[in-house]
Amino acid sequence: MQNEQTFSRRNLLAWALRAGTGGVVAALLLRATGHRAAAQGRAVWQLDPRKCIQCGRCETECVLQPSAVKCVHGIEMCGYCKLCFGYFKPNAPRLDEAAENQICPTGAILRKFIETPYFEYTINESLCTGCGLCVKSCTNFGNGSLYLQVRHDRCVNCNTCRIAERCPAQAFTRVSEDAPYLLKEKL
Amino acid sequence: MRPGMEERFLMRAVWILSGLFAGYSSAESRFPKPQFESAYTAPVTPYPPVHEILAPWADVAVLAVALAVATLLIYRVRSRRWILVFSGISLLFFGFMRQGCLCPVGATQNVVAAAWHGGGLPLYAAALFVLPMVFALFFGRVFCGAVCPLGMIQEFFIIHPVHVPRRVEAVLRLVPVAVLGIGIVAAVNGAGYLICRSDPFVGLFRRSAPLVMVLVGVAVLLVGMVVARPYCRYFCPYGVILEWCSRVGWKRFEITQATCINCRLCVGVCPVQAIAVPREQLPERARTFQFKRFVRVLGLAPVVVAGGILLGWLSGRVVASAHPDVVQLAAFEQAARMGSEEGLVDVEAARRNGWSAEVVAGRAAATVERFRRGMAWAGGFFGLVVALRMLQLTRLRRLTQHEADRIRCVACGRCYPACPKNQG
């Protein structure tokens, strides 16, 4: 008889603990999911090109090698310069497509003649490492039409972006997956 | 003049001039977009949409189904072979195909940070976090047993598990509690998600990672050959939560459905030392001694909690060093030591935003203060867990047969084929 009583008491305690745990978790979740009802889909990482200072960490800090951050060309902003600051080194021996003249360490920028004196520049993304050297030069001396973006065909959308944590300019933000790019020409 | 000389001269001149005006001129006006005479159309830069392996709700549904199947295999089919097969499927799918984020382990930080800041957590993230806990409340750690990819990758590396001495195990098992506390304080205060950053295997799943991450992952797997599931037992912060849910849980994992004959065969095969062995009721004198010890430990408990709070307060500064404000201050200090700001991008970024060294120092001090307070809470929690575990040690429950310890058991099912009562 006494045994049964202890068992039922123990049973009651067990159910109280279960209910208590469930209650605490439910309260936590209610508070966590409350209020800002807009944030329902997935959020993805993106960097704001207006804040970016081209420190070069996008190339090295990404968990992916090569990085998911690539240079993109907002061609609407481009001046089609013959002497492109994003393409040529400051002390380039000659202004042609030879490797020693180029800023890009991997030769990922393609230069194509359009008409005198204009050239078109496009990015070969499979070569780009996201180092931002061309971006820095284009932003400082040119129109700033080259800029860095997280490319969402590559990005694995880590819960915490390693680049975001190391970004000195704190340029990384979470954006909605429906509009996952921050295009400089449209900002 | 050599060909190209005038171009170079021109280039230098433009370089210097535009450098002078860089701060003033609006970027668009520097070199206007040309009017082309030829029929030229600009190429369109591609913007690929988000690469999505599974839609959020499909993700939740798959996890729920996986947990249900795991529960079925562990409680109904009761076959080590099928559990192993399903572990392989889980590893391939949740690990190598789904490639990590967002996982229930990391979601802990999202949930607590969102709750702290008053909302904004997507419902699917909340569901991912809570599903394994719901299953643990009813059926124990089935998530650890056959679903979690971090556990499954270690499961396949268990070659010759050694017995970790009880005292060492007791100390090592405090690490996950500390990791949980530190991870939550860091997430709430904006120092990033340390729990995700210390995940050793996600790089292996993605087959692309910085070298250090790969080396740590491989090292953990190699240790796991002799110390079964080292990450799960001695690091995983989500395990702390699941252990609690499993402890108060409804059903318990049973080695055999028949009567245990105390042959001890299950003790030998359990890789995680989760088999509780039979214990006689202590004689009267020993029980009095135990009770006295219980009272002494109970008296000591406030001291342990206070010690935890102090320890947390003192470690606040170290944990805060992961926060961007403190990183920036460190860069300014380095600049002061070197006497130059050359190459210090953190300083450069602060200067561009117009933050002086004083502003940065002030913000860093406030951040460190916040971390001290947060870590004091986390330390108190840590102390409380230590005190409770000490009390637990003084309580020796009588046990007549071998059974699976609800807390340590990860439901891998190795004891099923080992038990002679399960055969035939």
Side-chain angles (χ1 to χ4, degrees):
Chain A
M1 186 65 205
Q2 207 197 340
N3 233 355
E4 260 173 43
Q5 247 180 13
T6 24
F7 268 122
S8 77
R9 214 181 284 157
R10 189 164 259 186
N11 214 1
L12 194 70
L13 181 70
W15 277 107
L17 276 175
R18 262 163 237 159
T21 308
V24 168
V25 174
L28 186 75
L29 286 183
L30 270 182
R31 195 168 153 71
T33 54
H35 297 294
R36 278 175 282 160
Q40 277 323 315
R42 241 178 221 150
V44 293
W45 292 101
Q46 193 48 273
L47 77 97
D48 187 338
R50 294 168 298 182
K51 289 185 186 166
C52 174
I53 65 160
Q54 303 91 32
C55 63
R57 286 189 187 158
C58 283
E59 182 192 13
T60 54
E61 298 296 325
C62 186
V63 292
L64 298 180
Q65 302 286 330
S67 170
V69 174
K70 304 277 172 201
C71 174
V72 297
H73 194 191
I75 206 153
E76 289 159 43
M77 288 166 72
C78 183
Y80 292 83
C81 311
K82 184 181 182 186
L83 168 54
C84 173
F85 294 105
Y87 188 81
F88 291 110
K89 277 182 183 165
N91 51 355
R94 287 157 63 92
L95 290 188
D96 61 26
E97 284 79 6
E100 70 269 22
N101 304 326
Q102 295 184 28
I103 257 184
C104 182
T106 59
I109 307 178
L110 304 173
R111 184 176 192 247
K112 193 174 106 189
F113 174 72
I114 304 294
E115 61 180 60
T116 320
Y118 300 127
F119 286 81
E120 176 197 279
Y121 299 90
T122 43
I123 310 291
N124 180 355
E125 238 170 61
S126 55
L127 291 180
C128 178
T129 61
C131 68
L133 288 177
C134 61
V135 178
K136 191 170 198 100
S137 191
C138 178
T139 309
N140 288 351
F141 307 112
N143 283 1
S145 60
L146 294 171
Y147 57 92
L148 294 172
Q149 285 284 279
V150 175
R151 301 300 276 173
H152 288 297
D153 50 342
R154 296 165 195 271
C155 176
V156 286
N157 198 21
C158 297
N159 195 17
T160 178
C161 173
R162 287 197 176 217
I163 315 174
E165 285 175 355
R166 297 274 288 128
C167 175
Q170 296 170 30
F172 274 74
T173 48
R174 287 272 206 181
V175 296
S176 155
E177 69 172 335
D178 306 321
Y181 293 94
L182 292 170
L183 305 183
K184 201 174 175 187
E185 59 268 33
K186 289 182 185 141
L187 285 171
Chain B
M1 227 177 192
R2 272 193 296 134
M5 274 297 271
E6 68 272 51
E7 275 181 346
R8 282 177 65 190
F9 178 75
L10 185 76
M11 187 167 175
R12 290 239 171 97
V14 175
W15 203 269
I16 291 158
L17 278 177
S18 48
L20 281 178
F21 291 105
Y24 306 98
S25 58
S26 125
E28 278 83 354
S29 62
R30 271 188 212 149
F31 304 100
K33 191 180 165 120
Q35 300 292 314
F36 294 106
E37 284 160 21
S38 56
Y40 166 77
T41 44
V44 181
T45 310
Y47 288 100
V50 174
H51 165 64
E52 201 172 51
I53 296 159
L54 272 180
W57 281 109
D59 214 13
V60 174
V62 168
L63 179 66
V65 170
L67 284 166
V69 172
T71 309
L72 207 68
L73 291 178
I74 291 164
Y75 281 83
R76 274 288 153 82
V77 181
R78 294 175 61 82
S79 145
R80 167 66 189 157
R81 191 173 304 155
W82 280 108
I83 294 174
L84 192 67
V85 168
F86 192 68
S87 301
I89 297 172
S90 290
L91 176 61
L92 285 179
F93 179 77
F94 290 104
F96 291 101
M97 274 177 67
R98 193 173 163 278
Q99 305 191 339
C101 301
L102 178 74
C103 79
V105 181
T108 312
Q109 303 156 97
N110 302 45
V111 169
V112 178
W116 184 267
H117 297 298
L121 185 79
L123 282 176
Y124 88 94
L128 281 184
F129 169 71
V130 82
L131 267 175
M133 290 170 61
V134 171
F135 274 82
L137 268 177
F138 283 94
F139 304 106
R141 296 169 62 185
V142 291
F143 177 70
C144 307
V147 180
C148 177
L150 302 174
M152 291 314 102
I153 193 169
Q154 295 170 88
E155 186 70 38
F156 287 97
F157 276 81
I158 303 177
I159 309 287
H160 181 80
V162 295
H163 182 89
V164 180
R166 265 185 63 197
R167 284 153 206 249
V168 178
E169 158 116 346
V171 173
L172 284 178
R173 273 171 47 79
L174 291 174
V175 176
V177 183
V179 173
L180 181 66
I182 293 170
I184 285 177
V185 171
V188 162
N189 288 302
Y193 291 168
L194 298 184
I195 295 174
C196 298
R197 224 189 291 177
S198 53
D199 173 354
F201 304 125
V202 72
L204 302 181
F205 293 147
R206 290 170 180 160
R207 298 180 296 288
S208 169
L211 185 65
V212 180
M213 203 173 173
V214 177
L215 290 181
V216 171
V218 171
V220 174
L221 288 180
L222 290 180
V223 171
M225 290 163 77
V226 285
V227 180
R229 291 195 175 211
Y231 179 83
C232 306
R233 286 157 80 193
Y234 308 129
F235 203 87
C236 181
Y238 194 56
V240 177
I241 302 172
L242 288 187
E243 279 175 12
W244 171 258
C245 292
S246 173
R247 154 176 283 180
V248 303
W250 175 55
K251 264 200 177 242
R252 66 184 308 148
F253 181 88
E254 281 169 343
I255 300 166
T256 175
Q257 287 172 320
T259 324
C260 172
I261 51 167
N262 290 331
C263 65
R264 299 199 305 259
L265 284 173
C266 52
V267 180
V269 294
C270 181
V272 292
Q273 294 160 237
I275 311 281
V277 293
R279 207 162 23 210
E280 282 302 310
Q281 175 117 28
L282 291 171
E284 187 62 37
R285 253 184 64 210
R287 265 196 309 199
T288 324
F289 176 74
Q290 279 296 334
F291 182 71
K292 278 187 184 156
R293 202 150 76 165
F294 175 82
V295 172
R296 272 204 300 275
V297 173
L298 199 64
L300 201 65
V303 182
V304 175
V305 174
I309 293 174
L310 184 70
L311 196 71
W313 176 268
L314 292 176
S315 62
R317 196 185 180 84
V318 181
V319 180
S321 62
H323 193 280
D325 289 351
V326 183
V327 170
Q328 219 154 37
L329 178 66
F332 268 98
E333 280 165 357
Q334 198 187 339
R337 269 200 309 278
M338 296 194 324
S340 129
E341 293 179 2
E342 187 69 35
L344 291 172
V345 286
D346 291 286
V347 177
E348 189 191 334
R351 291 264 182 251
R352 278 222 202 164
N353 287 324
W355 305 327
S356 64
E358 290 75 45
V359 173
V360 170
R363 266 203 316 212
T367 306
V368 168
E369 203 51 36
R370 265 191 299 135
F371 270 83
R372 280 188 193 282
R373 253 177 287 139
M375 280 308 294
W377 280 100
F381 168 68
F382 183 74
L384 190 67
V385 172
V386 173
L388 286 174
R389 287 198 181 162
M390 281 164 71
L391 284 175
Q392 184 78 32
L393 287 177
T394 64
R395 193 178 139 264
L396 295 176
R397 195 161 61 90
R398 197 170 69 103
L399 200 62
T400 54
Q401 52 188 14
H402 288 74
E403 62 179 40
D405 175 357
R406 291 178 162 217
I407 301 164
R408 289 184 174 82
C409 174
V410 291
C412 67
R414 278 189 178 75
C415 48
Y416 289 153
C419 180
K421 281 300 213 178
N422 282 346
Q423 287 152 6

